[in-house]
Amino acid sequence: MGFLVVVAFLGLFILGFPVVYAILLPSIAYVLIEGLPLGLLAQRITYALDSFPLVAVPLFIFVGNLMNLSGITDRIFLFAYTLVGRIPGGLAQVNVFGSLVFSGMSGAALADIGGLGRIEIDAMKKRGFNPAFAGAVTAASATLGPIFPPSIPLIVYGSVTSVSIVQLLIAGIMPAIVCTVLLMLTVLIVAIRHNHPRAERWPTGGEIIRTLLPAMPAIVAPLLMVGGMTAGAFTPTEAAAMTAVYVIFISAVFYRELTFAHLWHSAVLTARSSSAILIIVASAALFGWILAVEQVPQTFAAALLGLSKDPLMLLVIANLIFFVAGMFLDSTTATLLLVPIIAPPLVLAGVDPVQLGIVTIFNLMLGLLTPPMGLSLFLVSDIAKVSVRQLLKALLPFYVPLLSTLVILTFAKDFTLWLPRMIAQ
């Protein structure tokens, strides 16, 4: 019966049903056919949302929205342009570096694109960059947000697998930095080949300081957050709350640009985005419970371990599964549906759960850049006013650094784990 539920989900999804309906309808049908009490539906859904770590999700979404509305993103962009605008590639380098800084407060790829990405694309188009290239850089660099703390997808992953969220967030720091470097090197090569514009001169020390000071309150936020979590001062959820309070404070007191209209609009946008995420969380919890009752994960685990018991080979297989899933499902849905099935046999075989978390989330972020369901592609296409086909063509060089990062994460276990281990000692 469990496999019939899975087949029903796949059938509804292929037919074009919204993913929530594709998950819920087979689940409700299962409860009715099995003669289970209807109260079970409410019980499982409510139980899934009664999660302290998940409170961090709307809080970080709120932070990203408030940053976009209160002018913080503009200051981050100006500082990034002053610091790296002279490097070949100019504003394209600013785009990548600015995304890393912005992700330290938003934790979401689409928030990066919709906020800082919109500013960057407009600025690049005004300086003569091809709109498709501007969109491609923005989409590629937005993958940094979900693996650099605070990361909403890693928080969801940790809540599903009971892996330490603090360990996951710390483990994402080095991969995000290395991916940033590889993306900037790619921009450098493309810029030299196509003679892209850049800043006319290197900045003076005074210019760097003048743009750094306004951006400093935003830049130190992730340092305070990660430092507080590693010191045991607060949990990831409390860190999200502290970050929200901190952003409100600097917007109102330091920048003096916060209004009640900004707060209200940010809250409304947060409610919409959080509802879309949490309704999937609740539906997937019911779906996952049915699969667990029908022992689908155990059957899948036996089949997977029958293919190989080598941890590295199993991780490669998981990469292929998540890469294909990311083409069709958003990261939250894929995490909630697939991770509870795939993670246990891999961990049993010896794959480190923290490494698996980073590999999984980064892999699913690549799905944002791949058709047919690449959300980043469609959002960037709309902002840059180019077709998805043009955007994909401009993205081709950037798949090299992104896939290279995924290979490093997969085959170099210590690269991901050395920082969490060092801080834990």
Side-chain angles (χ1 to χ4, degrees), residues 150-168:
S151 163
I152 292 174
L154 284 177
I155 291 171
V156 174
Y157 179 93
S159 68
V160 170
T161 59
S162 299
V163 176
S164 168
I165 294 176
V166 175
Q167 291 272 302
L168 287 168

Side-chain angles (χ1 to χ4, degrees), residues 163-187:
V163 176
S164 168
I165 294 176
V166 175
Q167 291 272 302
L168 287 168
L169 294 176
I170 295 172
I173 294 175
M174 284 306 298
I177 293 174
V178 169
C179 188
T180 300
V181 172
L182 293 177
L183 285 171
M184 293 182 74
L185 286 174
T186 304
V187 168

Side-chain angles (χ1 to χ4, degrees), residues 96 98-113 138-154 169 172 176 179-180 183 361-362 365 368:
V96 177
S99 291
L100 179 68
V101 177
F102 183 80
S103 66
M105 295 187 74
S106 72
L110 298 182
D112 181 5
I113 293 171
T138 302
S141 63
T143 58
L144 300 171
I147 58 171
F148 192 74
S151 163
I152 292 174
L154 284 177
L169 294 176
C179 188
T180 300
L183 285 171
I361 297 305
F362 188 77
M365 288 308 106
L368 294 174

Side-chain angles (χ1 to χ4, degrees), residues 321-330 334 363-364 367-368 370 373-374:
I321 294 173
F322 284 120
F323 186 77
V324 173
M327 294 181 180
F328 299 95
L329 298 172
D330 66 271
N363 201 327
L364 291 174
L368 294 174
T370 52
M373 299 289 289

Side-chain angles (χ1 to χ4, degrees), residues 212-231:
L212 172 62
L213 291 178
M216 182 62 76
I219 294 173
V220 300
L223 301 178
L224 295 174
M225 180 179 58
V226 173
M229 287 189 295
T230 54

